[in-house]
Amino acid sequence: MVIDPMDSALFAPGDASAQPDLLVCATLHLMSHYTTGGGCVKLAAVIERHLKALAAAPGLAPVLRATCLQLTEQWEGVVERTMPQPEKFRLLSKLMNGTRCA
C-alpha cells in the first residue's frame, strides 16, 4: 500500500500548527468521496473520527470546534443508520410485524 504524503503529514510530529489544516483538508476530501461513492458506512465512520479529532485539536478557533462537534454528532447518526441491523433485531422485527421467518 502506498502512503500518501498528505496522510503521513497528519501523523508527523514536525509542524503541529499545520495538522488542523491538513485534517480539515482530509475530512473535506473524505466527505466529497462519501457523496459520490454511494454512502459507505466505513467511510462515514472515518469522517466522524476525523471530525472528532479535529474538534480536539489544540488552538482551534471556537466556531470551528463547535462546528466539528455538531458535525461529529450528525455523522455519528449517519453511521448508526447505515450499520446493518444485527440478526436478532431483524428476527424480532419480523415477529412483531407478523412476517413469517424462514
Side-chain angles (χ1 to χ4, degrees):
M1 176 164 98
V2 176
I3 297 176
D4 186 5
M6 186 171 149
D7 290 339
S8 61
L10 285 173
F11 304 106
D15 186 11
S17 65
Q19 287 183 350
D21 292 342
L22 290 172
L23 204 51
V24 167
C25 293
T27 304
L28 292 172
H29 182 74
L30 290 169
M31 291 170 127
S32 68
H33 279 285
Y34 182 84
T35 60
T36 60
C40 173
V41 68
K42 288 181 183 180
L43 186 53
V46 171
I47 292 168
E48 177 195 352
R49 284 195 307 268
H50 273 68
L51 288 165
K52 196 176 288 187
L54 188 55
L60 204 62
V63 69
L64 185 54
R65 183 178 316 282
T67 301
C68 289
L69 288 172
Q70 288 175 344
L71 289 172
T72 297
E73 291 175 10
Q74 289 179 10
W75 280 97
E76 186 177 279
V78 170
V79 171
E80 288 175 3
R81 286 190 304 275
T82 315
M83 289 290 282
Q85 249 188 351
E87 184 63 36
K88 65 180 179 180
F89 292 118
R90 282 188 263 169
L91 177 61
L92 180 61
S93 176
K94 286 180 181 180
L95 292 173
M96 293 182 78
N97 291 330
T99 308
R100 285 194 78 196
C101 300

